[in-house]
Amino acid sequence: MPRQKENHNVPVVKNPAETLRALHDVAESGVDPLGVLAPMAHAHVAWLMHPLELAELGAKFSGDLMAFTWHAWNRALGLPSEDPIRPHADDTRFADPVWQESATWDIVKEWYLLLTHNVQDALYDTPAISGKERRRAAFWWRKWLNAMAPTNFLLTNPVAMAKAAETNGESLVRGMHIFLEDLRAGNVRMTRPEDFSVGKNLATTPGAVVFRNRLVEVIHYAPTTDQVHAMPVVIVTPWINKFYILDLNPKKSMIKFLLDQGFSVFVTSWKNPTPEMRDVSFEDYIIEGVNEAIETARGLTGAPQVHAVGYCIGGTALSTWMAWANRKHGELDQVPVAHWTLLTTLVDFSRPGDVEVFIDEGAVRWLTQSMQQKGYLDGKEMAGAFRLLRSNSLIWQYVVHGYLYGEAPPPFDVLYWNMDTTRMPYAMHAWYLRELYLRNNLVRGDALTIGGQPIDLGRIRQPLYAVTAEDDHIAPWQQCFRVCNHVPAEKRFVRSSSGHILGIVNPKVEPPKRSYHVGVAHRRDRFQQWQERAEEHAGTWWEDWVAWLKPQAGPLVDAIPASTDKFPKLADAPGTYVLEP
């Protein structure tokens, strides 16, 4: 009988503790890699182990159930009755009058709200487990409760049934067509891709690609004024999604706004990574991306220093570069950036907001193994995770309106951009998740090394203008404020209304649709102290930003064309990388 071949890839463990840990890791990766079941199980066990608190919880639910029963009897008998439980202010699922006017559907709605609110309150109040564990249990339960909402099913959605009756079933036929189109696309689409085309009705501001390497194209935009400030503006965009969120159309374009204000504008457009780029690191993005963009702007304009802007992960990269450059160059006037702006940027990842439900040791290990096999993280996976954070507004709304009402999604440029996803290189994203999200090393002095230099945010001395968004669920403004505690330079801090995208893509309109709070931030401030001092203004923070920036951006000089002999045009804006699938 031939001898069985040994498997030398099996990990060797030295003691029982390591054996148990290895078994735990295998089970976790195979059964519950994202930590969906474990937090809910821990919450249930915790309640069972605290009978006194469980009895109090039962008494509260009994009171709510009694109020609901009284309300249901009143409605069934045709008597007036105030709803004992109301939807949250941002819950629009039951906005149609039928959910209030019809006794039957009002009772269905109230029963659903009774259960969901009590379950969520119980999970947030779970005794003897950590706050993070409570939030994770509540999150995953909430996703299931959202999916089971009566609005999501034809026979429990009176609006959908009424539309079907009014159209003789045509709304359901249209809904089936929309469902089949989404099925072919592999996505619940939020807008129709055929309504938009990058370079035709998106990202149309004239300019030229003046630098290209394996990671980035640098676009210099054609001036719209005869003279510009001597100091150029370099915008480091996120490589999660594509740069044209800042250049959707002429009315919404931050890039065009800056050009019209007399600035010379450079923008990064990142390559969509392929499996061959699996080993591209975060450090590569800093040195070959951020640094090259800044050096290109200095070389083309002749300016010794620039103003740098970083958005989202682009801001995290810019913060890393600023710490590296201050360590490398030492003297303040030798650092290539004179002052800088951050847009909805995290540097302290200790409380990263709702996204923390996807991030723990087990989830990162599983995701790293998945990326290692493919060489990248697929953009659709990341987009799906972000949509799950707001499943009612970003998933179920489109299911209901599309499949049940038969309504095609309207054209919306922001949502098209949101669906135009990009991939993340394995090495970069694995490092990013582990070193920043898990270990929070960016705010630990000299804990990270970039370009051979240990970095510390405490070395950054250039004035900072930081913008956050009040309803941002990706980079919560309170956590974004923490940059003020780690950077000792002068800081002007802004909290815009709206969320992660619309708080930044915030052009001037009349009458104003949004507002912002602004004020000086000190290193020892907590966000509550800044909030007490901050002034509220109607309109867009863009105007406050340029008022802060212009006095520091140098004198007016003759504008330079988009490309020069030294930096010839490699392609017209928006370039080639942005068009890659």
Side-chain angles (χ1 to χ4, degrees), residues 207-269:
V209 175
V210 294
F211 175 85
R212 180 189 292 134
N213 63 17
R214 63 172 182 154
L215 278 184
V216 69
E217 289 182 336
V218 178
I219 302 170
H220 180 217
Y221 286 90
T224 61
T225 57
D226 293 334
Q227 290 190 311
V228 297
H229 288 274
M231 184 178 294
V233 174
V234 179
I235 303 178
V236 181
T237 56
W239 51 86
I240 299 172
N241 289 104
K242 297 181 179 179
F243 83 91
Y244 62 86
I245 187 62
L246 302 180
D247 189 31
L248 288 172
N249 62 51
K251 290 184 178 180
K252 296 180 181 179
S253 175
M254 177 188 286
I255 292 169
K256 186 177 186 304
F257 172 79
L258 289 170
L259 293 170
D260 293 343
Q261 295 295 315
F263 291 100
S264 182
V265 180
F266 294 78
V267 173
T268 59
S269 175

Side-chain angles (χ1 to χ4, degrees), residues 396-412:
W396 298 116
Q397 173 180 308
Y398 296 96
V399 169
V400 171
H401 282 264
Y403 307 165
L404 301 186
Y405 298 172
E407 298 171 354
F412 193 1

Side-chain angles (χ1 to χ4, degrees), residues 4 83 126 169 186 332 335 371 405 465 470 523-524:
Q4 185 175 5
D83 287 347
T126 304
L332 199 62
V335 177
M371 291 190 296
Y405 298 172
Y465 190 97
E470 186 173 16
R523 192 173 188 185
R524 297 192 178 187

Side-chain angles (χ1 to χ4, degrees), residues 217-393:
E217 289 182 336
V218 178
I219 302 170
H220 180 217
Y221 286 90
T224 61
T225 57
D226 293 334
Q227 290 190 311
V228 297
H229 288 274
M231 184 178 294
V233 174
V234 179
I235 303 178
V236 181
T237 56
W239 51 86
I240 299 172
N241 289 104
K242 297 181 179 179
F243 83 91
Y244 62 86
I245 187 62
L246 302 180
D247 189 31
L248 288 172
N249 62 51
K251 290 184 178 180
K252 296 180 181 179
S253 175
M254 177 188 286
I255 292 169
K256 186 177 186 304
F257 172 79
L258 289 170
L259 293 170
D260 293 343
Q261 295 295 315
F263 291 100
S264 182
V265 180
F266 294 78
V267 173
T268 59
S269 175
W270 302 96
K271 184 174 178 62
N272 198 1
T274 59
E276 293 73 28
M277 298 175 65
R278 60 182 298 115
D279 294 325
V280 171
S281 66
F282 191 85
E283 180 175 304
D284 292 331
Y285 275 84
I286 303 302
I287 305 302
E288 297 181 36
V290 179
N291 192 64
E292 290 291 356
I294 291 169
E295 291 304 314
T296 298
R298 294 173 69 209
L300 192 148
T301 63
Q305 291 182 302
V306 308
H307 176 79
V309 182
Y311 185 8
C312 189
I313 191 174
T316 305
L318 177 60
S319 302
T320 305
W321 183 92
M322 291 292 292
W324 170 78
N326 275 275
R327 172 64 183 249
K328 179 182 179 182
H329 296 283
E331 297 298 326
L332 199 62
D333 59 355
Q334 296 300 309
V335 177
V337 170
H339 28 76
W340 55 313
T341 294
L342 292 179
L343 309 177
T344 58
T345 294
L346 289 174
V347 297
D348 187 329
F349 291 80
S350 57
R351 291 290 296 272
D354 291 349
V355 75
E356 74 173 349
V357 299
F358 301 116
I359 298 173
D360 63 7
E361 185 67 43
V364 170
R365 186 189 312 111
W366 172 79
L367 187 59
T368 299
Q369 292 170 352
S370 174
M371 291 190 296
Q372 191 172 22
Q373 294 174 0
K374 295 182 295 186
Y376 59 84
L377 174 66
D378 195 305
K380 289 183 179 180
E381 297 175 18
M382 182 170 291
F386 285 139
R387 290 180 71 177
L388 198 60
L389 296 178
R390 293 291 184 268
S391 58
N392 279 337
S393 58

Side-chain angles (χ1 to χ4, degrees), residues 168-186:
N168 294 320
E170 184 63 30
S171 63
L172 298 181
V173 174
R174 292 195 303 266
M176 179 57 70
H177 284 303
I178 294 171
F179 167 73
L180 292 175
E181 289 174 1
D182 285 357
L183 192 62
R184 283 192 290 268

